[in-house]
Amino acid sequence: MIEVSSLSKRYGNFLAVDDVSFSIKKGEVVGFLGPNGAGKSTIMNIVTGYLSLTQGKVTVDGYDILEEPEQAKRRIGYLPEIPPLYIDMTVNEYLGFVYDLKKVKFPKKPHIDEILRLVKIDNVKDKLISKLSKGYRQRVGIAQALVGNPDVLILDEPTVGLDPKQIIEIRNLISRLGQNHTVIVSSHILSEIQAVCERVIIINHGKIVADSTPEELSKELSNDYSIVVRVGGTEEEITKILKGVKDVESVNCLGQKESGTLDFVVTPKAGADIRKDVSERLAARGKHIIMLVSNQLSLEQVFMRLTYEADVAAVVAEQNKAKGEGK
Ligand code: ADP
Ligand code: MG
């Protein structure tokens, strides 16, 4: 439905989007996750045809956003970071205005009434937008994106500035819309994305650093993480056996959590999966594993590793290099 290939965007000398490619199938609900300044809004503004691109190609349902912008744009409903609301109109007037602007072909009243019901704002349709709460305004923003019944919805940080109750309402609305739309929703907050998306694209400094399902992401990045083993025996003998297993970096005893057993944290060398070897070695020595769990990273930890920790590592590397050169 959406194909983005080798997309780059420069603001003057600043490269805000750096050679980004991804493809989104019809019906997918995809999250753009990344810290502030990562380039999420820039990519969304380009895909929706509101911003020019420096390099690359974007198509929507096969229509090139530069060559056939009208065809491409007709298929997209967009909620920008700052929704373009006219606050001195009523909700109904505003949606009528958007309907005219988009030159929609469906009969006007039934179409708008259906959107009002879907987004649950029919009870405020005759109120001025200026009189609405932020949560209601955001729903009006989503309603205007739905005018014209586009297949694709692109929602830029739709829950920013809302209170927890409003956030849950907007999330539920996005989940409902995801049932019959292709959706891209951005956020700098992981739990937002995790709650509504089946796929997450993590963006940092204008580049895609991960593109997977939430489950896969935490699994992939957790492979080289420690495991916890619960086993019967003395601390000395078990430690000795575990230290003898191939690719084991360190072993730490956590003490007794269950009568007659001890828990050990076993950390492998980077990238190694030691689970099979650990269980085989212990069994060969007559020691039986009662429990073996991966200390899997939460998606939150994965996100931190890919963005914040990566930045810290880069800064440290830079400093070390400077030190090295200073010698
Ligand atoms: P996000 O939506 O992920 O917070 P943006 O796409 O808004 O990120 O911004 C990406 C980077 O591009 C940021 O460093 C931002 O400061 C810069 N940027 C965004 N818009 C402009 C602009 N019009 N002119 C110059 N720099 C910009
Ligand atoms: Mg943004």
Side-chain angles (χ1 to χ4, degrees), residues 183-203:
V183 180
I184 306 180
V185 50
S186 73
S187 177
H188 61 281
I189 302 161
L190 175 88
S191 56
E192 273 321 313
I193 297 293
Q194 209 169 3
V196 295
C197 300
E198 59 206 33
R199 173 176 162 201
V200 43
I201 296 180
I202 301 183
I203 299 162

Side-chain angles (χ1 to χ4, degrees), residues 11-306:
Y11 294 111
N13 280 331
F14 178 70
L15 190 58
V17 175
D18 183 4
D19 195 24
V20 159
S21 301
F22 59 88
S23 134
I24 294 176
K25 291 205 252 333
K26 193 174 164 74
E28 272 192 302
V29 179
V30 179
F32 271 11
L33 179 65
N36 286 324
K40 304 180 296 294
S41 298
T42 301
I43 295 172
M44 288 179 150
N45 278 321
I46 292 170
V47 172
T48 52
Y50 285 87
L51 194 64
S52 66
L53 51 81
T54 307
Q55 229 163 59
K57 186 176 163 82
V58 174
T59 63
V60 180
D61 201 14
Y63 296 101
D64 190 300
I65 194 72
L66 297 181
E67 282 160 21
E68 293 172 285
E70 292 214 345
Q71 287 290 348
K73 280 171 136 177
R74 192 177 300 160
R75 285 156 176 80
I76 297 181
Y78 184 30
L79 175 71
E81 208 159 14
I82 298 158
L85 300 178
Y86 288 89
I87 59 168
D88 50 0
M89 289 184 186
T90 67
V91 172
N92 212 15
E93 284 167 356
Y94 172 64
L95 293 179
F97 167 77
V98 173
Y99 173 100
D100 294 340
L101 206 68
K102 289 191 183 177
K103 303 193 183 91
V104 179
K105 298 290 190 306
F106 315 114
K108 191 168 185 174
K109 189 163 184 314
H111 181 54
I112 290 178
D113 285 349
E114 191 193 335
I115 292 171
L116 289 169
R117 270 198 307 276
L118 185 64
V119 182
K120 295 191 178 149
I121 50 174
D122 34 0
N123 55 326
V124 297
K125 68 174 194 283
D126 296 319
K127 278 201 177 182
L128 288 176
I129 293 174
S130 62
K131 299 278 189 259
L132 298 180
S133 69
K134 185 128 202 308
Y136 265 104
R137 282 191 199 193
Q138 199 62 321
R139 281 197 248 176
V140 176
I142 294 175
Q144 65 76 34
L146 287 166
V147 172
N149 229 350
D151 281 338
V152 181
L153 288 175
I154 298 189
L155 311 173
D156 195 357
E157 307 235 13
T159 59
V160 157
L162 302 186
D163 66 38
K165 183 167 169 284
Q166 295 167 335
I167 288 178
I168 290 169
E169 286 167 358
I170 295 292
R171 260 192 214 165
N172 290 343
L173 174 59
I174 295 170
S175 294
R176 256 189 296 136
L177 294 173
Q179 289 165 7
N180 41 22
H181 290 88
T182 307
V183 180
I184 306 180
V185 50
S186 73
S187 177
H188 61 281
I189 302 161
L190 175 88
S191 56
E192 273 321 313
I193 297 293
Q194 209 169 3
V196 295
C197 300
E198 59 206 33
R199 173 176 162 201
V200 43
I201 296 180
I202 301 183
I203 299 162
N204 197 30
H205 298 303
K207 281 186 197 296
I208 293 181
V209 293
D211 179 354
S212 197
T213 65
E215 298 74 34
E216 276 301 314
L217 270 178
S218 40
K219 217 160 76 191
E220 275 169 29
L221 278 131
S222 300
N223 268 348
D224 54 344
Y225 263 62
S226 54
I227 56 174
V228 178
V229 186
R230 180 168 296 171
V231 60
T234 67
E235 179 173 346
E236 291 71 33
E237 60 177 341
I238 302 297
T239 301
K240 189 155 172 267
I241 296 170
L242 289 173
K243 281 196 167 158
V245 174
K246 186 169 171 282
D247 287 336
V248 166
E249 179 80 37
S250 67
V251 178
N252 284 300
C253 185
L254 297 175
Q256 179 177 306
K257 307 275 169 173
E258 188 183 330
S259 166
T261 67
L262 291 171
D263 280 15
F264 294 84
V265 180
V266 189
T267 307
K269 292 183 179 143
D273 186 349
I274 54 171
R275 288 169 299 182
K276 193 160 160 283
D277 287 347
V278 162
S279 65
E280 276 176 8
R281 181 67 68 99
L282 285 167
R285 303 288 159 91
K287 304 295 174 195
H288 296 289
I289 293 179
I290 307 299
M291 183 190 80
L292 188 156
V293 286
S294 289
N295 254 350
Q296 204 173 67
L297 295 182
S298 69
L299 197 52
E300 187 76 50
Q301 289 167 312
V302 171
F303 179 42
M304 288 300 283
R305 279 188 85 187
L306 287 173

